[in-house]
Amino acid sequence: MGDSYDAVVYDLDGTLVRLAVDWQATAERIKPVLRAHGIESDADDALDLLPVAEDAGVADEIEPYLAEAECEGARNSERLATMDAFVDSPLPVAICSLNCEAACREALETHGVSRDVAAVVGRDSVDERKPHPEPLLAAVDALGTEPERTLFVGDSDSDAVTARRAGTAFRRV
Protein backbone atom coordinates (compact mmCIF):
# COMPACT_ATOMS: atom_id res chain seq x y z
CA MET A 1 0.00 0.00 0.00
CA GLY A 2 2.80 2.45 0.87
CA ASP A 3 4.36 2.27 -2.61
CA SER A 4 1.20 3.37 -4.40
CA TYR A 5 -0.16 6.05 -2.08
CA ASP A 6 1.10 8.91 0.05
CA ALA A 7 -1.81 8.82 2.52
CA VAL A 8 -4.96 6.92 3.49
CA VAL A 9 -8.37 8.26 4.46
CA TYR A 10 -10.75 5.94 6.31
CA ASP A 11 -14.49 5.98 6.72
CA LEU A 12 -15.54 5.38 10.35
CA ASP A 13 -18.79 3.46 10.90
CA GLY A 14 -18.67 0.03 9.29
CA THR A 15 -14.98 0.47 8.45
CA LEU A 16 -13.04 1.16 11.67
CA VAL A 17 -15.84 0.60 14.19
CA ARG A 18 -19.47 -0.36 14.27
CA LEU A 19 -21.37 2.37 16.11
CA ALA A 20 -23.97 1.03 18.53
CA VAL A 21 -26.78 3.33 17.40
CA ASP A 22 -30.47 2.47 17.33
CA TRP A 23 -31.28 4.51 14.23
CA GLN A 24 -34.97 3.63 14.43
CA ALA A 25 -35.31 4.88 18.01
CA THR A 26 -33.42 8.03 17.03
CA ALA A 27 -35.80 8.53 14.08
CA GLU A 28 -38.75 8.33 16.48
CA ARG A 29 -37.15 11.10 18.59
CA ILE A 30 -36.68 13.26 15.49
CA LYS A 31 -40.13 12.84 13.93
CA PRO A 32 -41.91 15.17 16.42
CA VAL A 33 -39.44 17.93 15.51
CA LEU A 34 -40.30 17.47 11.85
CA ARG A 35 -44.05 17.27 12.57
CA ALA A 36 -43.80 20.63 14.36
CA HIS A 37 -42.84 22.02 10.95
CA GLY A 38 -45.63 20.16 9.15
CA ILE A 39 -43.31 17.46 7.81
CA GLU A 40 -44.39 13.82 7.84
CA SER A 41 -42.05 10.95 7.01
CA ASP A 42 -42.32 7.21 7.37
CA ALA A 43 -38.53 6.73 7.34
CA ASP A 44 -37.33 4.25 9.94
CA ASP A 45 -33.68 5.36 9.92
CA ALA A 46 -32.70 8.68 11.47
CA LEU A 47 -30.08 9.35 8.79
CA ASP A 48 -32.83 9.04 6.16
CA LEU A 49 -34.55 11.96 7.88
CA LEU A 50 -31.54 14.24 7.43
CA PRO A 51 -32.19 15.05 3.74
CA VAL A 52 -35.89 15.56 4.57
CA ALA A 53 -34.93 18.06 7.27
CA GLU A 54 -32.41 19.74 4.96
CA ASP A 55 -35.00 20.18 2.24
CA ALA A 56 -37.28 21.83 4.80
CA GLY A 57 -34.47 24.03 6.17
CA VAL A 58 -34.59 22.49 9.67
CA ALA A 59 -31.55 20.21 9.66
CA ASP A 60 -29.97 22.23 12.46
CA GLU A 61 -32.92 21.25 14.69
CA ILE A 62 -32.40 17.51 14.25
CA GLU A 63 -28.59 17.53 14.25
CA PRO A 64 -28.37 17.44 18.08
CA TYR A 65 -30.44 14.23 18.14
CA LEU A 66 -28.20 12.62 15.52
CA ALA A 67 -25.00 13.75 17.21
CA GLU A 68 -26.15 12.56 20.65
CA ALA A 69 -27.05 9.11 19.31
CA GLU A 70 -23.78 8.85 17.38
CA CYS A 71 -21.60 9.92 20.31
CA GLU A 72 -23.33 7.44 22.60
CA GLY A 73 -22.96 4.81 19.87
CA ALA A 74 -19.26 5.64 19.59
CA ARG A 75 -18.77 5.10 23.33
CA ASN A 76 -20.32 1.64 22.95
CA SER A 77 -18.89 0.84 19.53
CA GLU A 78 -17.34 -2.38 18.38
CA ARG A 79 -13.77 -2.14 17.13
CA LEU A 80 -13.42 -3.72 13.66
CA ALA A 81 -10.35 -5.44 12.21
CA THR A 82 -9.60 -2.51 9.87
CA MET A 83 -8.80 -0.39 12.93
CA ASP A 84 -5.53 -2.33 13.26
CA ALA A 85 -4.49 -1.32 9.73
CA PHE A 86 -5.46 2.28 10.56
CA VAL A 87 -3.38 2.30 13.76
CA ASP A 88 -0.41 0.52 12.19
CA SER A 89 -0.37 2.37 8.86
CA PRO A 90 3.06 3.76 8.01
CA LEU A 91 1.26 6.44 5.98
CA PRO A 92 -0.45 9.58 7.26
CA VAL A 93 -4.15 8.94 7.93
CA ALA A 94 -7.38 10.88 8.20
CA ILE A 95 -11.05 10.10 8.70
CA CYS A 96 -13.93 11.11 6.43
CA SER A 97 -17.33 10.08 7.79
CA LEU A 98 -21.03 10.66 7.41
CA ASN A 99 -21.13 10.70 11.22
CA CYS A 100 -20.58 13.91 13.15
CA GLU A 101 -17.00 14.85 13.92
CA ALA A 102 -17.49 14.51 17.69
CA ALA A 103 -18.64 10.89 17.31
CA CYS A 104 -15.58 10.10 15.19
CA ARG A 105 -13.29 11.54 17.84
CA GLU A 106 -15.23 9.75 20.58
CA ALA A 107 -14.78 6.41 18.78
CA LEU A 108 -11.03 6.96 18.46
CA GLU A 109 -10.80 7.83 22.16
CA THR A 110 -13.00 4.88 23.18
CA HIS A 111 -10.69 2.48 21.37
CA GLY A 112 -7.50 4.09 22.66
CA VAL A 113 -6.23 5.29 19.29
CA SER A 114 -3.32 7.51 20.11
CA ARG A 115 -1.69 7.85 16.70
CA ASP A 116 -1.69 11.18 14.89
CA VAL A 117 -4.72 11.67 12.70
CA ALA A 118 -4.25 14.51 10.23
CA ALA A 119 -7.95 15.31 10.06
CA VAL A 120 -11.33 14.11 11.21
CA VAL A 121 -13.96 15.28 8.75
CA GLY A 122 -17.53 14.55 9.75
CA ARG A 123 -20.81 15.59 8.18
CA ASP A 124 -20.71 18.76 10.31
CA SER A 125 -17.10 19.67 9.48
CA VAL A 126 -17.73 21.04 5.98
CA ASP A 127 -20.75 22.33 4.06
CA GLU A 128 -21.44 19.12 2.11
CA ARG A 129 -21.56 15.48 3.13
CA LYS A 130 -20.66 12.23 1.41
CA PRO A 131 -21.14 11.25 -1.37
CA HIS A 132 -20.27 14.85 -2.31
CA PRO A 133 -16.46 14.98 -2.74
CA GLU A 134 -15.95 18.01 -0.44
CA PRO A 135 -15.46 16.07 2.83
CA LEU A 136 -12.97 13.65 1.30
CA LEU A 137 -11.12 16.47 -0.46
CA ALA A 138 -10.92 18.35 2.87
CA ALA A 139 -9.30 15.27 4.43
CA VAL A 140 -6.90 14.92 1.49
CA ASP A 141 -5.97 18.59 1.78
CA ALA A 142 -5.30 18.21 5.52
CA LEU A 143 -3.00 15.30 4.69
CA GLY A 144 -1.02 17.59 2.37
CA THR A 145 -1.29 15.24 -0.59
CA GLU A 146 -3.17 14.97 -3.87
CA PRO A 147 -6.34 12.93 -4.49
CA GLU A 148 -4.61 10.67 -7.02
CA ARG A 149 -1.98 9.81 -4.36
CA THR A 150 -4.61 8.99 -1.72
CA LEU A 151 -6.51 5.80 -0.92
CA PHE A 152 -10.00 6.03 0.58
CA VAL A 153 -11.04 2.94 2.57
CA GLY A 154 -14.74 2.46 3.20
CA ASP A 155 -17.56 -0.02 3.42
CA SER A 156 -20.36 1.34 1.25
CA ASP A 157 -21.41 2.20 -2.26
CA SER A 158 -21.62 5.81 -1.09
CA ASP A 159 -17.94 5.67 -0.10
CA ALA A 160 -17.06 4.32 -3.55
CA VAL A 161 -18.99 7.16 -5.20
CA THR A 162 -17.30 9.70 -2.92
CA ALA A 163 -13.86 8.38 -3.87
CA ARG A 164 -14.66 8.45 -7.59
CA ARG A 165 -15.99 12.03 -7.38
CA ALA A 166 -12.94 13.17 -5.39
CA GLY A 167 -10.45 11.44 -7.68
CA THR A 168 -8.99 9.08 -5.08
CA ALA A 169 -8.47 5.35 -5.22
CA PHE A 170 -10.95 3.24 -3.26
CA ARG A 171 -10.78 0.00 -1.32
CA ARG A 172 -13.90 -1.61 0.13
CA VAL A 173 -13.77 -3.49 3.42
Side-chain angles (χ1 to χ4, degrees):
M1 182 164 56
D3 295 336
S4 302
Y5 306 105
D6 294 335
V8 185
V9 179
Y10 290 84
D11 171 52
L12 181 78
D13 191 22
T15 302
L16 298 177
V17 300
R18 187 168 329 284
L19 297 182
V21 177
D22 184 339
W23 292 112
Q24 188 170 5
T26 305
E28 292 306 314
R29 292 184 62 217
I30 290 171
K31 285 179 181 180
V33 175
L34 297 177
R35 279 190 215 107
H37 292 282
I39 304 163
E40 290 293 331
S41 175
D42 57 358
D44 290 329
D45 185 314
L47 287 177
D48 292 339
L49 294 173
L50 183 56
V52 173
E54 286 175 335
D55 289 346
V58 296
D60 59 328
E61 292 184 42
I62 72 161
E63 181 60 36
Y65 294 96
L66 294 172
E68 179 184 353
E70 290 170 338
C71 286
E72 180 64 26
R75 286 187 286 278
N76 296 299
S77 61
E78 171 190 355
R79 182 181 173 130
L80 300 177
T82 311
M83 182 69 87
D84 294 335
F86 174 81
V87 170
D88 295 336
S89 176
L91 299 175
V93 296
I95 291 176
C96 175
S97 178
L98 184 57
N99 303 110
C100 70
E101 183 177 332
C104 296
R105 293 185 185 283
E106 185 72 37
L108 294 175
E109 184 176 314
T110 293
H111 294 284
V113 175
S114 61
R115 73 158 295 153
D116 288 332
V117 178
V120 175
V121 181
R123 83 170 161 271
D124 54 346
S125 304
V126 294
D127 291 335
E128 299 289 342
R129 68 177 189 280
K130 297 186 308 181
H132 193 282
E134 182 185 13
L136 181 51
L137 291 173
V140 169
D141 186 56
L143 287 162
T145 188
E146 298 298 322
E148 59 273 7
R149 301 288 307 154
T150 305
L151 174 65
F152 184 38
V153 179
D155 69 312
S156 69
D157 291 342
S158 177
D159 290 334
V161 170
T162 303
R164 187 180 74 249
R165 290 178 176 173
T168 69
F170 178 71
R171 188 177 85 214
R172 184 183 299 267
V173 297

